């Protein structure tokens, strides 16, 4: 097991232990101090809250960002885009120029929709933050990296077929799975804490 995965595994165990301690601790504290306002996770209300709201609790932009970031990482890594700066054969130089040109066109289109007067990605008041652009900034960045990587990989021969592109995206997500597991555990721990303390 790589060192990175070992660290994530131990971190996951720590988060699980913290969750168990928090659940049991809330039950003991609420039983000993009923007037404290601390809610027990082992009460009927707490158990209903934990099971009924689990999916809703896990939904957040961060989870989507992790998935898209994994796809961008996988496409970039398996396209061998970064390696092209070291080898620079003719086919790779052409692919590099074309993929960078594609990225420039993509960024120009995004900039037009975000920064031009009365741009459609601005808020109703014309603000950049918050707006549709600020909400989609991370996905837009990931899509740009994926687009550039796929164009490079197809032209350089790293992606000879559609399944090879798909496999690169899947491999990227699988490399981010340890972070997704930590996210799920950490976010659930935070939601339990917010329930117990009525935040």
């Amino acid at each position: 097991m790589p060192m990175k995965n070992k660290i994530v595994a131990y971190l996951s165990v720590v988060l699980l232990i913290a969750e168990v301690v928090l659940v049991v601790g809330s039950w003991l504290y609420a039983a000993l101090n009923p007037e404290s306002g601390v809610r027990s996770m082992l009460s009927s209300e707490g158990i209903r809250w934990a099971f009924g709201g689990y999916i809703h609790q896990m939904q957040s932009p961060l989870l989507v960002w992790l998935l898209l970031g994994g796809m961008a990482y996988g496409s970039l890594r398996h396209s061998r885009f970064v390696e092209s700066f070291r080898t620079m054969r003719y086919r790779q130089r052409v692919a590099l120029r074309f993929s960078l040109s594609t990225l420039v066109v993509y960024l120009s289109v995004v900039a037009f929709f975000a920064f031009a007067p009365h741009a459609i990605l601005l808020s109703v008041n014309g603000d950049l933050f918050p707006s549709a652009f600020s909400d989609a900034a991370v996905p837009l960045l990931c899509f740009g990296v994926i687009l550039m990587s796929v164009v490079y990989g197809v032209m350089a021969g790293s992606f000879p077929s559609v399944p090879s592109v798909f496999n690169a995206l899947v491999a990227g997500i699988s490399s981010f799975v340890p972070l997704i597991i930590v996210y799920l555990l950490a976010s659930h721990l935070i939601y339990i804490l917010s329930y117990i303390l009525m935040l």
Side-chain angles (χ1 to χ4, degrees):
M1 180 184 281
M3 186 63 177
K4 176 182 69 174
N5 285 356
K6 284 184 179 178
I7 293 169
V8 172
Y10 284 120
L11 179 59
S12 299
V13 170
V14 168
L15 289 169
L16 277 172
I17 292 171
E19 196 168 312
V20 170
V21 168
L22 199 57
V23 168
V24 174
S26 70
W27 172 64
L28 289 172
Y29 192 84
L32 294 172
N33 301 298
E35 303 298 323
S36 64
V38 171
R39 292 190 283 191
S40 169
M41 279 301 300
L42 295 178
S43 66
S44 57
E45 181 190 355
I47 292 171
R48 275 196 306 273
W49 177 87
F51 283 90
Y54 182 77
I55 298 299
H56 176 70
Q57 296 162 11
M58 296 299 106
Q59 295 172 351
S60 82
L62 185 56
L63 182 58
V64 177
W65 295 350
L66 283 171
L67 292 171
L68 291 175
M71 291 169 62
Y73 171 75
S75 63
L76 188 64
R77 181 173 173 223
H78 290 277
S79 70
R80 300 191 183 108
F81 177 84
V82 176
E83 295 172 14
S84 68
F85 292 98
R86 290 194 290 265
T87 53
M88 280 294 182
R89 296 186 186 125
Y90 175 74
R91 183 175 182 180
Q92 291 170 325
R93 279 199 305 269
V94 172
L96 182 65
R97 288 186 191 126
F98 197 81
S99 63
L100 289 175
S101 300
T102 304
L103 181 63
V104 168
V105 170
Y106 171 79
L107 292 176
S108 300
V109 171
V110 170
F112 174 75
F113 286 128
F115 302 112
H118 308 292
I120 60 174
L121 291 181
L122 296 177
S123 69
V124 177
N125 300 328
D127 298 326
L128 197 57
F129 297 98
S131 67
F133 173 77
S134 63
D135 290 342
V138 173
L140 285 170
L141 178 64
C142 292
F143 289 139
V145 172
I146 292 169
L147 176 65
M148 177 190 69
S149 302
V150 169
V151 168
Y152 174 83
V154 168
M155 294 193 68
S158 306
F159 295 144
S161 62
V162 172
S164 64
V165 175
F166 183 78
N167 290 337
L169 299 174
V170 171
I173 292 174
S174 67
S175 65
F176 271 47
V177 165
L179 296 176
I180 293 172
I181 292 171
V182 169
Y183 160 78
L184 291 174
L185 292 171
S187 62
H188 195 244
L189 181 65
I190 290 167
Y191 278 112
I192 286 176
L193 187 61
S194 67
Y195 173 82
I196 291 170
L197 299 177
M198 294 188 289
L199 299 176

